[in-house]
Amino acid sequence: MTHEVGAGELQTKLQLIEATQLLVRQIVADFVHSSVDDFDGCVDAAFARLGAFLDVDRIYAFEVINGALDNTHEWCAGGVSPEIDNLQAVPLEVCSHWFTRFALDEEVFVPDVSALPDDRRAEREVLEPQGIKSLLVVPLRVQSETIGFIGFDAVRAAREFSAIEVGLLRSLADVITSAIIRQRADEQERRAQAQLRAMTRYSADHALLMDADGMVSAASESWSVLGVRRDDLLGRGWLDLVPVESHETVRAMLAAASEGFDDHRRDTIDVATVLEGSGPAWLEIVFHDLPDEPEIGGVVMCVRDVTNRKLAEQDRILAVQTDALTGLGSRAALEAELEAAMHRAAASGSQVGVLFVDVDRFKLINDSHGHATGDLLLAKVGERLQRAVRSGSFVARFGGDEFVVIVEDVTSFAELEALADRLQDSFRTPIDIGGLAITVTASIGIATGDTVSAQAGPLLRDADTAMYRAKDAGRDRYALFDDCAREEVVRRNEVMQRLPLAIEQGLIVPHLQSIVEIETGRVVGAEALARWDDPVIGTVSPDEFIAVAEETGLIVPLGLQMLDQALALAAGWPERFTVSVNLSPVQLSDPDLAVAVADLLRHHDITPSRLYLEVTESSVMSNLDRGIELLHQLRSLGLLLAMDDFGTGFSSLSMLRRLPVDVLKIDRTFVSGDDGKGGKGDPRLVRAVIGLAQEFGMVTLAEGIETEAQRKLLWRQGCKRGQGWLFGRPVTPEEFQRLIRRHDAARA
């Protein structure tokens, strides 16, 4: 039963994700393979696909045009009236609340239009006549400017919008924004070309006729547009117009022309030259050999000024290769440069080093001082990195607050370690941002590639992996990608590959650690701890697979599967024994969690008060209002709640009275007196937590009790319950069942 439930939910989730990804790929493909003139058709087709997929009532797009909002595209489900003709030149003030959110790149969700407050009356008066019950809109933004929005309307009935629906609308907004940017760029280019044609309307082409000796015998009047007098060309050799480095190429083209092209073939060459009347220019040249036409009897060289096109190409290349914020190399330039460096290293027998640099706690800086300050800080960080590296090293912004340094001709790791030290030293002096002194640190990952097997992509990933090892070790340090790190990557990939099958086949099972009364040692329950012994990759620790499960979203089906198994075991115990099950932070964001827990309690016909669900304080505090709401939903089922790791996070004590918590678990670092980082815990914190729990009518449970001295101290301080190796390590369900029987026999 357990296996079928978990597998079905997992399969449904995977199918939905695959269908969503396929839809996004199809929409993107339509835009990519279409011309700019097909923009409207692509938007309409995308809306129709999205509407059918999500079963929404209306999908629409608005653009900011001449300081107002125009409804430019609309799709409606059957039976829903279109509104596009009624929604033109809508004042921006009507949606002022939306544009405030849009400026933060946030979506707007209105669950109940009729419940909009009076300060948004203008908004309500526009939406209600359209029959809208609820809506979701996301912005269309180009750089920092909101140019419009797209959205969903619920007309037939009010509704919520899932994370997948929000994500799809976000993806569509990104695609449409890219198409608008492309459309604007194409329009600008068309406008520039029209202006150029207007200035050279007499002729955009310039022709020369050369005789058998290669001398110019005739020239078109249009050469004056290039600042070249026709008479100055006559009698000169054509090579005078072409730079020396292009002579051989032009000679080859001229020879091919003399042999004759077919009607559909024309070879061209772009050459850089200096025109006597106008200076540097790019000319596109094509030859036509017309010896059989008596009026011509020679070779015609047609020339077009393509300087503007070449400069635009160079600007586009520069824009792609340069990070706009820092002026460093872009990610695209980084990948190209690293590939080139690897080729050079292979040819010279040297090594290439990569340093992956991540600014520590950059999100905190953004949240505290704003994104504008964060952007200025990143620009300053880029400057310091550029100054710290040796000449010839390539520095790029990888994205966000991540930078990469490429070092060629590396002789040893020690050389790269010395560079990492210099990079970190460059941040010791605070960075001044408009009078605000900000001190930052960086975590750096180092990797090298040999000349035989290394590739650019894996080398970057290796350096990135090493950087995360540096962060895990405490930040503001560097780490090397060595054999140990490589084994970690291989192991993580193995776990990621095997985890879905392990969940489907029920290979992850609960082991049980006794929970006892500290005063008497009497067993009162057990905590269910996930254990995985895989037939292919061996025993996998919880630290390994829980992290992967949270990252991939598999923690939701895995968590329910563990709860299902734990309740099935507890149903076979005497009524006085409880079972505790941990909830992942990811599960706390699942809106269906309370319903699923209620279903499992009914299915196993177990008294709800025998179940303790454990949450960490950091998972609740990360979204306090939502966390409190969910805890109340769970608590209303009659089960009990325990807060794990209390005191190790960042909650304020005033928040504790708002939480419907029955048990405070004292972290093992307080019990053992060792905080795991070389420091010592303070026993006074234990007394404080126990006293706080007593004030709020909560029970305290201490983790990690290993000695009799610790047990006695906790009992004297008023702690009621505990668990740890002193009372027993986690055991299989069968062993715990035998423990219960022995416990009952001893009591008898």
Side-chain angles (χ1 to χ4, degrees), residues 401-415:
D401 59 347
E402 296 175 330
F403 299 81
V404 172
V405 179
I406 300 174
V407 183
E408 298 190 53
D409 300 321
V410 175
T411 58
S412 66
F413 260 128
E415 177 184 349

Side-chain angles (χ1 to χ4, degrees), residues 2-53:
T2 299
H3 161 72
E4 293 175 354
V5 171
E9 290 178 356
L10 175 61
Q11 184 65 28
T12 299
K13 183 177 181 68
L14 292 176
Q15 288 174 347
L16 180 58
I17 292 173
E18 289 174 356
T20 301
Q21 291 174 341
L22 177 60
L23 177 63
V24 172
R25 286 197 298 270
Q26 289 172 340
I27 292 174
V28 171
D30 287 346
F31 277 90
V32 168
H33 296 125
S34 66
S35 68
V36 173
D37 294 333
D38 296 332
F39 172 78
D40 290 335
C42 285
V43 173
D44 292 338
F47 280 6
R49 280 183 173 177
L50 203 57
F53 183 80

Side-chain angles (χ1 to χ4, degrees), residues 377-399:
L377 178 66
L378 290 177
K380 295 286 189 180
V381 167
E383 292 175 6
R384 292 200 179 184
L385 290 176
Q386 188 72 68
R387 289 198 300 266
V389 301
R390 75 187 187 192
S391 176
S393 296
F394 184 85
V395 183
R397 183 183 176 211
F398 189 76

Side-chain angles (χ1 to χ4, degrees), residues 612 641-643 661-666 689-690 693-694 696-702 718-721:
Y612 284 83
L641 296 172
M643 178 169 285
V661 173
D662 303 282
V663 176
L664 281 187
K665 296 190 72 173
I666 303 172
V689 172
I690 294 172
Q694 291 172 344
F696 289 110
M698 302 174 185
V699 175
T700 49
L701 188 157
C719 184
K720 299 299 183 183
R721 295 186 178 184

Side-chain angles (χ1 to χ4, degrees), residues 425-439:
D425 286 343
S426 69
F427 300 130
R428 301 305 179 202
T429 303
I431 298 175
D432 180 72
I433 306 294
L436 179 66
I438 301 177
T439 300

Side-chain angles (χ1 to χ4, degrees), residues 116 139 217 373 377 725:
L116 285 171
S217 59
T373 298
L377 178 66
W725 288 1

